[in-house]
Amino acid sequence: MRLPIYLKIAQDIKEKINSGELKPGDPIYSENTLCKTYKASRMTVRRGLALLASEGYIYSIPGKGSFVREPDNNSYTLYYNEMKNLVNSVDKTKLLEVSITLPNQRLINSLQVTRNKKIILIRRLFFTEGEPVAYDVKYLPYCKGMPIVEKEIQYATFPEMVAKKMSLFAIRKELIIYTQMPDEEIKKYLNIYSDLPLMVVEQKLYDREERPIGLGITYYRGDYCKLYAESYFSDSLLNEKYKNGVET
Amino acid sequence: MRLPIYLKIAQDIKEKINSGELKPGDPIYSENTLCKTYKASRMTVRRGLALLASEGYIYSIPGKGSFVREPDNNSYTLYYNEMKNLVNSVDKTKLLEVSITLPNQRLINSLQVTRNKKIILIRRLFFTEGEPVAYDVKYLPYCKGMPIVEKEIQYATFPEMVAKKMSLFAIRKELIIYTQMPDEEIKKYLNIYSDLPLMVVEQKLYDREERPIGLGITYYRGDYCKLYAESYFSDSLLNEKYKNGVET
DNA sequence: TAGTGGTCTAGACCACACC
DNA sequence: GTGTGGTCTAGACCACTAC
């Protein structure tokens, strides 16, 4: 078998945890014990344990030992892209407005700006196969280098809009998802004539100093929006190579 | 400074990526170069790089080098618990029904069972401060040891219901989130008399062999349900200890 | 004092990429 | 060939825990 020892160690322990043989709180064999068991050096054993730790399976307490972690049952990975989701993929957009305004009270609070700060306002409609499926509004505090050119805005997602100015790695994003009935204006934009609710996604961007750098609100027709999430098994970004050799 | 060398290396490179000095696709200094720069052994340098790799900042190609990864802009961490969310926390539940039935066509497909397989059906109402806020239905293929005792069901979340039988580590969970108008039955349960939409969360559980082991659908009053998600910076589960020493 | 995990070194051999 | 990353060893010293 060509499976590296450290992966073998990690897999064996993971198997014990998944099967329930090791339960949350239970101690793992000590590093020295594992060294003997696998005839491996301590660094190799530690690498296996480090992998399990980074995947959230175990944790260590200096001087005491390593233990099985309580799994986080309430976290999921949500896939969200303004223009792509389960039921529709935006194939056309219409730029309704690009302008520079002053913030109202809600924006002053939300973006943490003064009432004199210039705000870029962008309003768009998203279409799928000719049908309007979402109404989209963005607010960005104006800075030099901000996108106010139509071409840069038309098909850009929110993170892309600010990416011109800074590294996408440095941006923290928040989503708030809720539902509401459309007002008359949105009904008009989205061709809604019956009792159809909206899915609303508020997206807020922060820089590394936790300063808000943008607020976006997207109003989806309820029948065109499904969001998908799943529990993440960060089952190592590495194992791809060895996926065949799962033999014990 | 007491900051370990490997963390120092990781932080320095992370800083270069966050600031935009290093962009996606750019090569990182080779391991040998970093050894000399930091007067460290190769294992120590590799530990720093491994940390960055596990956090999604970089990736390596054998024989070529390490490079800055394209950030994943569409993934968020969603916090979801049937009984806890932004606007309400369930403080009372009412068990409407616990019974064993046979699956209809939708359940046969969704749970991948035969039409003779017994299904546990659980229907509940969730309350916040006396108000009904959600109507909840669960379907579980019946196995020995399944919870059919009221006490075990009344306040249990979906993953907890099946946890009696297997390790929570081994369960994969999927969520599908959408909105719709309530039918007459749900309107009655949730005291809805006006134009109020529902937030619907479908939760599906799978075992390690990707066999469905449960389907749950929770219908929230739209005004009592907001979901929250954020971009994850897995900024290491470790750094806690050194958070002060961020001086370069 | 003995055992634990945390950090680190200075080597080694390998497969791979590039010239 | 040289340089790269991938795996691994056999030690070392430290701080901490438990007895």
Side-chain angles (χ1 to χ4, degrees):
Chain A
M1 63 169 181
R2 303 217 324 295
L3 189 70
I5 303 175
Y6 76 96
L7 278 183
K8 170 76 173 140
I9 295 172
Q11 281 187 7
D12 284 358
I13 296 175
K14 200 184 291 185
E15 174 60 27
K16 284 199 171 67
I17 295 175
N18 282 335
S19 71
E21 187 176 336
L22 284 173
K23 293 188 182 56
D26 286 356
I28 308 292
Y29 297 119
S30 81
E31 296 178 358
N32 280 321
T33 307
L34 289 170
C35 287
K36 287 166 195 159
T37 308
Y38 288 93
K39 294 179 185 43
S41 77
R42 191 159 157 242
M43 281 306 261
T44 302
V45 168
R46 281 183 60 74
R47 191 168 170 194
L49 295 182
L51 187 58
L52 291 174
S54 78
E55 292 179 357
Y57 281 89
I58 67 171
Y59 63 95
S60 301
I61 301 178
K64 298 188 76 172
S66 296
F67 306 88
V68 179
R69 191 188 287 278
E70 202 74 43
D72 180 2
N73 265 299
N74 300 325
S75 290
Y76 296 79
T77 300
L78 171 73
Y79 304 97
Y80 176 71
N81 180 313
E82 295 147 78
M83 307 218 190
K84 271 182 224 156
N85 66 49
L86 272 191
V87 281
N88 75 324
S89 201
V90 171
D91 51 30
K92 207 185 87 181
T93 73
K94 182 178 172 186
L95 205 51
L96 298 173
E97 178 182 3
V98 182
S99 60
I100 293 190
T101 63
L102 293 177
N104 61 23
Q105 194 56 48
R106 184 193 164 180
L107 284 177
I108 289 174
N109 295 334
S110 185
L111 294 176
Q112 292 172 34
V113 292
T114 61
R115 65 182 66 249
N116 301 319
K117 178 72 180 178
K118 287 173 186 165
I119 306 287
I120 301 176
L121 166 64
I122 299 168
R123 295 195 302 125
R124 296 183 294 183
L125 272 182
F126 295 157
F127 293 85
T128 296
E129 294 173 3
E131 292 293 317
V133 293
Y135 171 68
D136 181 74
V137 189
K138 310 285 192 212
Y139 305 94
L140 299 110
Y142 179 77
C143 308
K144 286 168 199 162
M146 277 279 136
I148 42 172
V149 183
E150 282 205 16
K151 276 180 202 160
E152 287 176 355
I153 292 170
Q154 186 104 37
Y155 283 97
T157 64
F158 203 20
E160 286 164 1
M161 289 183 191
V162 294
K164 308 280 174 195
K165 227 184 133 283
M166 58 198 303
S167 162
L168 277 177
F169 280 104
I171 295 174
R172 194 173 70 81
K173 293 166 287 180
E174 276 184 5
L175 296 184
I176 294 175
I177 300 158
Y178 55 92
T179 178
Q180 68 182 36
M181 297 306 291
D183 62 24
E184 289 307 316
E185 188 191 9
I186 293 182
K187 273 187 174 179
K188 204 182 59 188
Y189 280 127
L190 298 182
N191 284 351
I192 295 176
Y193 305 112
S194 56
D195 252 5
L196 185 68
L198 298 174
M199 183 73 95
V200 186
V201 179
E202 289 187 18
Q203 198 172 12
K204 210 163 156 185
L205 308 183
Y206 298 85
D207 67 13
R208 269 187 300 162
E209 283 77 37
E210 287 296 318
R211 286 185 301 245
I213 53 176
L215 172 67
I217 308 175
T218 310
Y219 303 86
Y220 296 92
R221 278 178 64 119
D223 53 352
Y224 274 97
C225 184
K226 281 192 182 184
L227 300 173
Y228 176 82
E230 64 181 341
S231 59
Y232 47 61
F233 275 92
S234 57
D235 245 356
S236 85
L237 316 156
L238 319 157
N239 283 358
E240 300 298 331
K241 245 169 82 181
Y242 303 101
K243 259 190 181 162
N244 41 345
V246 194
E247 76 269 42
T248 49
Chain B
M1 62 168 180
R2 301 214 325 293
L3 189 70
I5 303 176
Y6 77 96
L7 277 183
K8 169 78 172 140
I9 295 172
Q11 282 187 7
D12 284 359
I13 296 176
K14 200 183 292 186
E15 174 61 27
K16 284 199 171 67
I17 295 174
N18 282 336
S19 71
E21 188 177 334
L22 285 173
K23 293 187 181 58
D26 286 355
I28 309 291
Y29 296 119
S30 82
E31 295 178 358
N32 280 321
T33 308
L34 288 170
C35 288
K36 287 167 196 157
T37 307
Y38 288 92
K39 294 179 182 46
S41 77
R42 187 155 161 247
M43 281 306 260
T44 301
V45 168
R46 281 182 61 74
R47 189 168 171 193
L49 296 181
L51 188 57
L52 291 174
S54 77
E55 292 179 357
Y57 280 90
I58 66 172
Y59 62 95
S60 301
I61 301 178
K64 298 188 77 171
S66 296
F67 307 87
V68 178
R69 190 187 288 277
E70 202 73 43
D72 180 1
N73 265 299
N74 299 325
S75 291
Y76 297 78
T77 300
L78 171 73
Y79 303 99
Y80 176 70
N81 180 312
E82 294 148 78
M83 308 218 190
K84 272 183 223 156
N85 66 49
L86 273 190
V87 282
N88 75 325
S89 201
V90 171
D91 51 31
K92 204 186 87 180
T93 73
K94 182 178 173 186
L95 204 52
L96 298 173
E97 178 181 2
V98 182
S99 60
I100 293 190
T101 62
L102 293 176
N104 60 25
Q105 195 56 48
R106 184 194 164 180
L107 283 177
I108 290 175
N109 294 334
S110 186
L111 295 176
Q112 291 172 35
V113 292
T114 61
R115 65 182 66 248
N116 300 320
K117 178 73 179 177
K118 286 174 186 164
I119 307 287
I120 301 176
L121 166 64
I122 299 168
R123 297 195 300 127
R124 296 184 295 182
L125 273 181
F126 294 158
F127 293 84
T128 296
E129 295 173 3
E131 292 293 318
V133 295
Y135 171 67
D136 181 73
V137 189
K138 311 286 191 212
Y139 305 95
L140 299 110
Y142 179 76
C143 308
K144 286 168 200 163
M146 277 279 136
I148 43 172
V149 182
E150 282 205 15
K151 277 180 201 160
E152 286 176 355
I153 292 169
Q154 186 105 38
Y155 283 98
T157 64
F158 202 19
E160 286 163 0
M161 289 182 191
V162 294
K164 308 279 173 196
K165 225 184 133 286
M166 58 198 304
S167 163
L168 278 177
F169 280 105
I171 295 174
R172 195 172 70 80
K173 293 166 288 179
E174 275 184 6
L175 297 183
I176 294 176
I177 301 157
Y178 55 91
T179 178
Q180 68 181 35
M181 296 306 290
D183 61 23
E184 288 308 317
E185 189 191 8
I186 293 182
K187 273 188 174 178
K188 203 181 60 187
Y189 281 127
L190 299 182
N191 284 351
I192 294 175
Y193 304 112
S194 57
D195 252 6
L196 185 68
L198 299 174
M199 183 73 95
V200 187
V201 179
E202 288 188 17
Q203 197 173 12
K204 210 164 156 186
L205 308 183
Y206 297 85
D207 67 13
R208 269 187 300 162
E209 282 77 38
E210 287 296 316
R211 287 184 301 245
I213 53 176
L215 172 67
I217 308 175
T218 310
Y219 303 85
Y220 296 92
R221 280 179 63 121
D223 53 352
Y224 274 97
C225 184
K226 282 192 181 183
L227 300 174
Y228 176 82
E230 64 182 339
S231 58
Y232 47 63
F233 274 93
S234 57
D235 246 355
S236 84
L237 316 156
L238 320 156
N239 283 358
E240 300 299 329
K241 246 170 81 181
Y242 304 100
K243 260 191 180 160
N244 41 346
V246 194
E247 76 269 40
T248 49

